[in-house]
Amino acid sequence: MRKFTCRFLAGCATAFVLAACGPTPPAAVVDRYDPAKMDLKPVPAKISAERHTGPFASGAALNLSAELKPLDPAPVKEVRLDTTHKIIEIAPGVKFSAWTFGDQVPGPAIRARVGDKIRFSMTNRSDETAPGMAMTAAPMMHSMDFHAAMVSPQDKYRSVAPGQTIEFEFTLNYPGIFMYHCGTPMILEHIASGMYGAVIVEPREGYPTKVDREYLVIQSEFYAKPSTDGQKVDGAPLYVLDSEKLRAAQPSHTVFNGSHNGMVKTPLPTKPGERVRLFVLNVGPSKTSSFHVVGTIFDRVWMDGNPDNQMRGMQTVLLGSSNSAIVEMIIPEAGSYIMVDHHFANASQGAIGLLSTLEKPKRTELEHHNMEASSTPPDAGAAAAKIAFESKCFACHSVGQGKKLGPDMAGVTKRRTEAWLTQWMKSPEKMLQTDPDAQAMLKEYNNIPMPNQGLSDEEIKQYIAYFRWIDAQPDPSKITAGGGH
Ligand code: CU
Ligand code: CU
């Protein structure tokens, strides 16, 4: 068409027409990620002995919760995130000795735009303790690694000692949702202790769609065990990092936004007909997330949060450690839409939340994925058994919700003696050969024997302490996570 027009107008000498008819450059020539236009020479980092005082986080671009503020238009973002050691509650009654950026887990999210400069500073304040709080973790080196930056790690991501401050700046060259984390060895331990957060970088020209709501969902794992030297917080056991489970990639909790079922108790509000944009980051450190929202379909998925990486009509989005995505969806009608890691073993550990049109969703509406958080036994051994039970035994047992493949565990310490339970857990095979009660139970449960769990004597004691605690509760059906699943 254009060609025809040009021929028709051939001879017309005005510059305007010539310009309009000139050959359109092929799209590939215009690269919005042209390295020649990027800032790739940031100034060297500065380390000093001057320490920040006052708040542990500051900056107009920071977001402290799932609900995101609109973009702050300033082209230079001053961001301060100090490192702290603090006790956080990752699940009801599970008070965990964490290391943080900005005194919270996940650390505050930075929201900015391509072309913006981040002017970052961080004091290692791991040597400070909150008033009245005993020090739970020794002060140590920490550092900051921004996946959103293109800088020399040996310069900018250096570890600084307690009391030191590091400052550096960088320009945001690509849009996306980028992880930040501590990069001090053992990195695995620093991330699993809580040292991570997100940088949301919008395209220079903004997103191509308009939405009614924007929320941030960060998935991560905790590897918590009750402290073996009997440390307590407010009378309950202090939970510390379980390095063995950490290296084996066997989390005790997998959560959204730092808290077991946090967004079930406090759903993210929405309304029927709205378009919702979720910024989803999977921190890991070691698990993959299969992010899904029950009841709707992702109209658009922008992998790593960059609209150039677009997919349409997706049911789940698969995110490895430090992968992210923007997912947008329509909320079709009134209801509670369940955000979940569709790897259900992860969901059963707390990676679950709600987008809800209701002020307060009714319990029955959550039934399908009901994993309401629960209380914890005060005894450390029983608490450990509760975590183990909820991650391993729920496939076959409930607590106060009736029979499944195996018996309901509520009341078990009233039905059986401690000696019987000990022998049963130690060797179900042997019991089935010799014990009439065990044989009767096998018959009742369709001849499916309980597999030997390979429990140590200590673990068996812990399980029995946990079962006793269950039987001392006024309503056992209310005390477990996932009991109704
Ligand atoms: Cu660290
Ligand atoms: Cu990294």
Side-chain angles (χ1 to χ4, degrees), residues 428-482:
E429 318 72 347
K430 237 187 236 161
M431 286 285 272
L432 285 170
Q433 284 167 16
T434 57
D435 183 84
D437 288 336
Q439 288 159 352
M441 183 168 71
L442 182 68
K443 220 168 171 190
E444 186 182 346
Y445 289 92
N446 305 313
N447 293 313
I448 304 170
M450 182 177 89
N452 190 320
Q453 303 293 317
L455 300 172
S456 69
D457 291 347
E458 185 57 31
E459 286 169 315
I460 290 173
K461 273 200 199 118
Q462 293 177 346
Y463 271 106
I464 292 173
Y466 168 54
F467 296 144
R468 281 198 193 295
W469 175 81
I470 290 174
D471 288 341
Q473 303 305 304
D475 183 357
S477 69
K478 294 256 160 62
I479 57 169
T480 57

Side-chain angles (χ1 to χ4, degrees), residues 83 99 101 140-143 182-184 190-191 195:
T83 65
W99 311 340
F101 286 112
M140 67 184 74
M141 305 288 278
H142 290 300
S143 59
C182 180
T184 300
H190 287 252
I191 296 178
M195 302 192 80

Side-chain angles (χ1 to χ4, degrees), residues 83-85 99-101 122 124 140-144 159-160 181-187 189-191 193-195:
T83 65
T84 68
H85 289 181
W99 311 340
T100 83
F101 286 112
M122 170 180 96
N124 181 340
M140 67 184 74
M141 305 288 278
H142 290 300
S143 59
M144 173 60 95
S159 295
V160 295
H181 62 88
C182 180
T184 300
M186 295 279 293
I187 297 180
E189 291 183 2
H190 287 252
I191 296 178
S193 293
M195 302 192 80

Side-chain angles (χ1 to χ4, degrees), residues 145 147 179 181:
D145 170 341
H147 289 192
M179 180 173 166
H181 62 88

Side-chain angles (χ1 to χ4, degrees), residues 5 8 32 50 64 86 104 160 203 209 355 383 395 402 421 423 478:
T5 312
F8 181 70
R32 68 179 110 209
E50 273 163 62
L64 307 186
K86 106 181 265 205
Q104 64 172 65
V160 295
T209 52
L355 272 164
L421 286 171
Q423 282 178 316
K478 294 256 160 62

